[in-house]
Amino acid sequence: MAEPKTKYDRQLRIWGEQGQTALEKSSICLLNCGPTGSETLKNLVLGGVGSITVVDGSKVEIGDLGNNYFVDESSVGESKAKTVCAFLQELNDAVKAKFIEEYPEALIDSNPSFFSQFTLVVATQLVEDSMVKLDRICRDANVMLIFARSYGLTGFVRISVKEHAVIESKPDHFLDDLRLNDPWPELKSFAETYDLDTPDPVVHKHTPYVIILIKIAEEWAKNHNGNLPSTREEKREFKDLLKSKMIASDEDNYKEAIEASFKLFAPRGISPSIQQIINDNCAEVNSNSTDFWVLVAALKEFIANEGGGEAPLEGSIPDMTSSTELYVNLQKIYQAKAEADFLVMEQRVKKLLKKIGRDPDSISKATIKSFCKNARKVKICRYRLIEDEYNTPVQLELQKYLTDEDYSIAVGFYILLRAVDRFAANYNSFPGQLEGEMDEEISRLKTTAVTLLGDLGCNGSTLTEDLINEMCRYGGAELLAVASFIGGIASQEVIKLITRQFVPMCGTFIFNGIDHKSQLLLL
């Protein structure tokens, strides 16, 4: 067996050893192992989750051979859960795998406590009634839950957790934490030791742009009543001032300073999203507070006191044109400040933990350090109960989606995926499953969908005949290509939730295979 560091080398570069450890400790339950469920679990098994439990009461049928890679001819008539489980384990022998031959709907009704043993449940191909029941069960047990379903050329993925905190959100684009518009004393003193008017061309072209911007900003502020550029015209003048300091056309450091000047113009202090988090009621901590909210409470105190309105410094600097010695010295200045901020935060965390009656060392230094490094990027995600969304969707949003041409098919599929479940409850089959009754079933589905929209306070005329006909044409089928895509999205969200890295989707993800579009509905 390959060493974990070799085996998982590529993904370790994305979520690191901490993320991989979280995966390896996780226990995943899959409900229904058709193509959507099997494709979801395949990705997680390859990723190295700790254990999987497959729950499915059905047998492998001839029709399964054409849309599920994890069954074969020899398994026809055998337990689907057992067969899929065996094939999945072949992909990664480090993952513990077991199966339960029982229909998920029966298990949800008869043994709700069964789900409390898992880190996360992936529920695929469940109808609305079972989704609502399972959602409440998992909420009460504090178990993360993801619903996934493929249906013809459409499908959806929906996360349901009470609250999910993300420290390492890893946004694609985020402003470097350089504090150019508010340098602390040590950085300011370091910048003052350098003369931008030096006659030495080598020194001039190897002064880091951080120093250049701090020095020029100070010069600008002296001539503008202590203010930095704010208007478009002032920003243009500031860039012209930077250009005037160049003594040669090949000075890349000054070009970098001009390109990075927007970092100087950024507003000081914390972002509105962080302000919202520190103002959350949960930041008033007690003995039941999670580690995340204790860290947020400490952050709130830090910003109001030692931080002077700023979060702890991240402590890293980007690549830039510079001499090695200058770059290293500058890097040390940032690292020293970050370490000092961390030590202050550590003490504040310990005091808060002691105050609420918990062990002052119960939050590790590594966790506090990671929080300090990512304090400007932390996120909190909260999800409505499925039952609440279905019974009382956000009316303004639903109306907007129904009347917006760009969202009309996505919300149409959303409504029709609910309508087919009502249809199945009334007629014991999904529309289009029975041969020779297509016209009648189209009419029945249309009536069901219009009634559903009426119950939600909306006009049923917004659903097109073509979309209703298309839904009947699907006959409840799981197409492998669509199932693979939905499974890929679902497994990606599972990894985000378990590693607590990257921000999971908020809302219901709808795949529109007709137009090859994916959209999120926030209802």
Side-chain angles (χ1 to χ4, degrees):
M1 188 170 70
E3 286 292 321
K5 282 191 176 181
T6 304
K7 189 176 192 177
Y8 304 123
D9 176 61
R10 283 181 292 178
Q11 62 202 50
L12 280 167
R13 301 179 198 197
I14 299 171
W15 50 72
E17 290 188 21
Q18 190 176 352
Q20 189 61 37
T21 299
L23 282 176
E24 290 171 7
K25 287 181 178 178
S26 67
S27 174
I28 310 295
C29 175
L30 173 69
L31 303 185
N32 290 317
C33 57
T36 307
S38 298
E39 290 296 319
T40 303
L41 214 50
K42 172 201 72 178
N43 299 326
L44 298 174
V45 167
L46 289 170
V49 295
S51 65
I52 58 169
T53 300
V54 180
V55 179
D56 196 318
S58 62
K59 304 293 183 184
V60 179
E61 299 176 359
I62 292 291
D64 295 319
L65 303 181
N67 72 352
N68 195 332
Y69 286 125
F70 297 94
V71 298
D72 60 14
E73 283 188 69
S74 65
S75 59
V76 173
E78 299 290 323
S79 160
K80 190 184 288 186
K82 179 181 179 180
T83 303
V84 169
C85 194
F87 276 112
L88 284 170
Q89 181 136 47
E90 286 182 17
L91 298 176
N92 191 343
D93 54 9
V95 176
K96 297 174 184 175
K98 65 178 182 178
F99 63 92
I100 294 173
E101 291 183 61
E102 189 169 350
Y103 287 101
E105 295 82 0
L107 191 61
I108 290 167
D109 289 332
S110 65
N111 189 11
S113 62
F114 167 80
F115 299 98
S116 62
Q117 64 186 293
F118 301 104
T119 309
L120 186 145
V121 175
V122 179
T124 67
Q125 306 305 107
L126 289 185
V127 296
E128 186 172 314
D129 182 54
S130 296
M131 287 171 63
V132 169
K133 291 176 185 175
L134 181 62
D135 192 20
R136 286 208 170 275
I137 291 167
C138 289
R139 286 283 176 114
D140 292 343
N142 202 28
V143 172
M144 295 182 284
L145 173 63
I146 289 186
F147 295 107
R149 186 178 187 179
S150 61
Y151 194 104
L153 290 177
T154 187
F156 75 86
V157 176
R158 166 65 150 80
I159 296 169
S160 187
V161 294
K162 197 178 297 181
E163 180 180 281
H164 180 70
V166 185
I167 294 176
E168 295 184 58
S169 62
K170 300 185 177 180
D172 290 334
H173 304 288
F174 208 82
L175 201 62
D176 297 314
D177 192 12
L178 299 176
R179 309 286 166 92
L180 300 174
N181 54 12
D182 190 20
W184 61 97
E186 291 82 2
L187 179 59
K188 192 179 286 187
S189 298
F190 182 73
E192 285 171 358
T193 61
Y194 292 90
D195 180 10
L196 296 187
D197 296 321
T198 176
D200 187 334
V202 175
V203 173
H204 197 269
K205 74 189 297 183
H206 287 91
T207 302
Y209 78 73
V210 167
I211 303 300
I212 295 170
L213 286 172
I214 290 173
K215 297 279 284 184
I216 301 296
E218 186 178 16
E219 180 183 328
W220 173 280
K222 282 178 183 177
N223 298 321
H224 293 80
N225 299 317
N227 298 317
L228 292 174
S230 57
T231 66
R232 181 179 294 183
E233 182 61 27
E234 285 178 340
K235 291 173 183 178
R236 187 188 61 76
E237 288 177 21
F238 185 83
K239 290 180 180 180
D240 289 340
L241 180 59
L242 285 169
K243 288 177 186 175
S244 71
K245 298 291 183 180
M246 295 175 70
I247 60 175
S249 60
D250 64 343
E251 290 187 317
D252 291 337
N253 55 337
Y254 275 85
K255 292 175 184 176
E256 287 171 357
I258 293 165
E259 289 175 4
S261 59
F262 72 92
K263 297 176 184 179
L264 180 75
F265 308 146
R268 295 176 182 175
I270 58 175
S271 66
S273 62
I274 298 302
Q275 188 69 55
Q276 189 176 359
I277 289 174
I278 65 174
N279 288 342
D280 194 288
N281 291 335
C282 292
E284 301 297 325
V285 293
N286 55 49
S287 58
N288 296 319
S289 296
T290 62
D291 288 357
F292 176 81
W293 286 111
V294 173
L295 289 164
V296 168
L299 174 64
K300 185 175 184 177
E301 292 181 359
F302 178 92
I303 291 169
N305 296 283
E306 297 87 359
E310 296 279 5
L313 187 75
E314 288 181 27
S316 59
I317 59 175
D319 290 337
M320 62 189 77
T321 300
S322 170
S323 65
T324 302
E325 182 183 2
L326 247 177
Y327 184 84
V328 170
N329 289 338
L330 184 63
Q331 195 173 48
K332 286 177 180 177
I333 296 284
Y334 276 87
Q335 289 171 346
K337 169 66 172 166
E339 181 66 18
D341 287 354
F342 156 70
L343 292 173
V344 172
M345 276 286 290
E346 184 183 29
Q347 289 308 308
R348 288 201 170 276
V349 169
K350 287 186 175 186
K351 284 180 183 176
L352 282 168
L353 287 169
K354 188 175 181 181
K355 182 180 175 182
I356 61 177
R358 286 173 55 184
D359 179 0
D361 296 315
S362 60
I363 300 180
S364 69
K365 285 190 175 187
T367 301
I368 300 171
K369 188 159 275 192
S370 175
F371 184 86
C372 288
K373 185 177 180 182
N374 295 283
R376 298 185 310 135
K377 308 167 190 170
V378 294
K379 298 286 182 184
I380 193 79
C381 304
R382 292 179 174 126
Y383 299 84
R384 297 184 74 191
L385 277 164
I386 285 284
E387 185 175 18
D388 291 344
E389 179 184 316
Y390 283 175
N391 292 339
T392 55
V394 181
Q395 201 68 32
L396 284 174
E397 290 296 313
L398 183 56
Q399 290 284 9
K400 184 185 79 174
Y401 292 138
L402 286 166
T403 55
D404 186 335
E405 188 177 338
D406 195 44
Y407 278 89
S408 60
I409 294 183
V411 75
F413 274 137
Y414 175 85
I415 295 297
L416 287 168
L417 282 165
R418 293 190 58 195
V420 296
D421 287 345
R422 285 195 180 188
F423 184 104
N426 291 331
Y427 302 109
N428 297 315
S429 66
F430 288 111
Q433 277 189 321
L434 304 177
E435 292 183 18
E437 299 183 16
M438 184 64 80
D439 290 343
E440 184 180 352
E441 299 210 331
I442 288 172
S443 177
R444 285 174 174 174
L445 179 60
K446 182 178 180 179
T447 302
T448 305
V450 169
T451 303
L452 173 59
L453 277 170
D455 292 344
L456 298 175
C458 298
N459 187 347
S461 64
T462 53
L463 288 177
T464 67
E465 295 281 346
D466 286 347
L467 207 58
I468 295 168
N469 293 351
E470 190 74 3
M471 210 67 181
C472 286
R473 193 172 69 86
Y474 298 154
E478 281 185 86
L479 305 180
L480 181 56
V482 176
S484 297
F485 181 77
I486 295 294
I489 297 294
S491 57
Q492 170 184 280
E493 298 308 303
V494 169
I495 290 169
K496 289 179 186 177
L497 290 171
I498 291 175
T499 62
R500 292 191 174 272
Q501 297 180 27
F502 303 96
V503 182
M505 295 187 299
C506 286
T508 302
F509 172 91
I510 299 287
F511 174 63
N512 165 9
I514 298 172
D515 298 321
H516 307 289
K517 286 174 71 174
S518 300
Q519 290 170 302
L520 271 176
L521 303 181
L522 303 173
L523 297 168

